[in-house]
Amino acid sequence: ANRIWTNPKGAVSTQEASTLKLGDSVITGSAFLIENGDVVTFRTEKRATLLSGARETSADSTEARFDSKTNQLISLIQNGRFRFKDGERQGNANSATFREGGESVLLEGAARIADSRMQLEAGRIEIDDRAGEQVASGNVKSVSANAADRVLVTAQSARRTAAGIVYTGNVRLDKGDTSIQADRIEAPLESGPLHARASGHVFSVSSNIRVRAESLEYDEASRIAHYTGKVEAARQDMRITAADLRVRLKEKDNALSEVVAKG
């Protein structure tokens, strides 16, 4: 920095444009306060950017703790217009708290993350890279990245892993002219034909047929929707009640092809 000073206890302060390097972490900003010890504590109330490996984060205020022996990041708290980039993943929030050397992240306040597969928004998003999962809660909304095959889901909460994503609480899924509502919906992350499982107060609309049931398995590749448990279906002047209902749609125009009811 242009000006650096220290007090008798070894605390270091800077003014104006400043840069701090600790291990593989680089912080750029201004008005730094650094306190040395077994743990190095860094603070600034000015907007700063931290670059650590492939991850870049920035916010209006930053507080970080480093191991003085290894210079490795222990924890990081950034508040105010938080932004981050990490490989193909990026996002923003009102605030972020990093733990476990940066492998665990809590985003709070209008949180959003996006990658090559989807964009996920919520009031709160927890990212655990060690466990390979993301947990979102509060006004959850997800949109698939493929604009030509767009899937929109809203829910109260969601848990995403490598195997797929599970939505719970007032879930609604929309794709094209197909809509599914349920207490819980499971879906894979892969783009392409949708394969979803819904359970609890299921209500769907597709090809002008409305169905209520306890559970549903929808396979867009085979054009089959399989409903089970207290099924009630309606289409214009047709009404069907059954224990099991299988609906097949035509591939060309998504029109109703066949309905098979059992029980």
Side-chain angles (χ1 to χ4, degrees):
N2 289 333
R3 183 181 181 188
I4 302 174
W5 68 96
T6 183
N7 64 22
K9 294 183 179 181
V12 177
S13 300
T14 73
Q15 283 186 341
E16 300 177 352
S18 309
T19 301
L20 171 66
K21 296 182 180 180
L22 276 172
D24 63 354
S25 298
V26 180
I27 304 176
T28 56
S30 61
F32 291 175
L33 175 61
I34 305 156
E35 297 180 0
N36 292 303
D38 292 338
V39 174
V40 178
T41 301
F42 168 90
R43 290 194 301 273
T44 179
E45 295 302 318
K46 301 293 185 179
R47 189 160 187 85
T49 298
L50 185 149
L51 182 62
S52 181
R55 177 186 290 150
E56 178 182 309
T57 67
S58 61
D60 292 340
S61 68
T62 299
E63 181 176 334
R65 298 168 67 244
F66 297 87
D67 187 316
S68 62
K69 294 181 180 179
T70 64
N71 285 337
Q72 294 301 305
L73 179 69
I74 298 174
S75 64
L76 171 68
I77 299 174
Q78 292 187 289
N79 293 306
R81 297 184 298 161
F82 171 79
R83 302 286 186 273
F84 83 94
K85 294 180 181 178
D86 188 358
E88 67 173 19
R89 186 171 62 190
Q90 59 182 328
N92 56 267
N94 291 339
S95 66
T97 303
F98 293 75
R99 300 185 180 92
E100 306 297 335
E103 292 186 299
S104 174
V105 186
L106 172 61
L107 306 179
E108 294 182 285
R112 181 189 68 87
I113 59 175
D115 56 29
S116 61
R117 291 181 171 182
M118 69 186 305
Q119 176 176 294
L120 181 64
E121 301 176 9
R124 172 188 174 110
I125 300 177
E126 298 177 70
I127 304 171
D128 189 340
D129 287 335
R130 295 174 305 170
E133 70 175 20
Q134 300 166 7
V135 178
S137 57
N139 298 318
V140 175
K141 175 183 176 182
S142 74
V143 182
S144 60
N146 188 347
D149 212 24
R150 185 64 53 85
V151 179
L152 169 65
V153 184
T154 58
Q156 291 180 355
S157 62
R159 180 176 179 268
R160 178 183 179 183
T161 65
I165 186 165
V166 178
Y167 302 91
T168 54
N170 296 327
V171 189
R172 177 177 176 133
L173 182 152
D174 290 284
K175 182 177 183 183
D177 62 355
T178 297
S179 171
I180 302 172
Q181 299 178 47
D183 295 336
R184 173 188 173 98
I185 293 181
E186 303 174 47
L189 296 175
E190 290 76 11
S191 60
L194 175 65
H195 191 127
R197 293 181 176 89
S199 58
H201 302 95
V202 175
F203 175 66
S204 73
V205 179
S206 184
S207 188
N208 293 325
I209 183 168
R210 301 175 303 282
V211 185
R212 297 184 185 275
E214 292 180 345
S215 64
L216 160 67
E217 182 167 358
Y218 177 71
D219 185 3
E220 192 176 44
S222 63
R223 319 295 295 176
I224 292 177
H226 184 201
Y227 302 86
T228 55
K230 300 178 181 178
V231 185
E232 298 179 0
R235 182 173 185 265
Q236 295 173 347
D237 59 349
M238 178 184 71
R239 299 289 186 273
I240 299 175
T241 59
D244 184 290
L245 185 74
R246 191 179 297 267
V247 177
R248 184 188 300 273
L249 303 175
K250 295 179 181 179
E251 183 174 357
K252 290 184 178 181
D253 55 7
N254 210 36
L256 187 64
S257 173
E258 181 182 62
V259 176
V260 179
K262 298 180 180 180

